Amino acid sequence: MNERTFVLKAICDKVVADPAYKAHDIDGKPGDETFCNLAVKSICRAVGYLEFEPLKLANDIIAFVKASPKWNVASGVEAHFNALAGELGLAVHEEQPHGHVAVVYPAEVLGTSGKWKSPM
């Protein structure tokens, strides 16, 4: 594991463990709210990527990366390989009214994600 991979992994671990990013109720209505967009922005900020700062929702982040020449579409395998090399990558799922975003975690594949229906 190179230094960038070690740093990315440590940042991801810290953010995932933070209770502020766990699904919880903030509006008193049935169902918990999720904070994937805030978690992704926090991880990106920690590695020095600040272009998501003005964006609010997951679908805003998705629209940004789709339109940006700085981001490339990659398969899950390619994104995982890049994460293992310490590169920042996102898994995205556009949906209405809210999509979902996640940073590709640099670690061994352990199973299949229920949300993404792909290796995680």
Side-chain angles (χ1 to χ4, degrees):
M1 182 181 322
N2 68 39
E3 181 66 24
R4 289 187 331 189
T5 306
F6 180 78
V7 169
L8 178 59
K9 188 173 182 178
I11 291 166
C12 289
D13 289 342
K14 182 179 178 182
V15 169
V16 168
D18 188 333
Y21 301 115
K22 302 234 184 279
H24 61 275
D25 182 44
I26 61 170
D27 64 5
K29 297 177 184 174
D32 289 342
E33 285 72 41
T34 59
F35 305 93
C36 64
N37 56 322
L38 300 179
V40 164
K41 287 171 56 170
S42 181
I43 292 167
C44 291
R45 185 181 320 111
V47 298
Y49 186 80
L50 305 176
E51 293 189 41
F52 295 154
E53 288 304 311
L55 305 176
K56 303 286 185 208
L57 302 174
N59 282 345
D60 297 333
I61 293 171
I62 294 166
F64 178 87
V65 298
K66 282 183 172 181
S68 174
K70 295 180 182 178
W71 288 89
N72 299 316
V73 174
S75 70
V77 171
E78 291 168 321
H80 180 243
F81 180 78
N82 291 340
L84 289 172
E87 298 296 325
L88 184 61
L90 298 181
V92 302
H93 178 72
E94 191 170 12
E95 194 172 289
Q96 295 302 324
H98 302 290
H100 187 65
V101 292
V103 171
V104 179
Y105 185 70
E108 177 185 347
V109 175
L110 299 176
T112 302
S113 163
K115 175 74 174 179
W116 303 98
K117 306 292 188 245
S118 62
M120 62 174 220

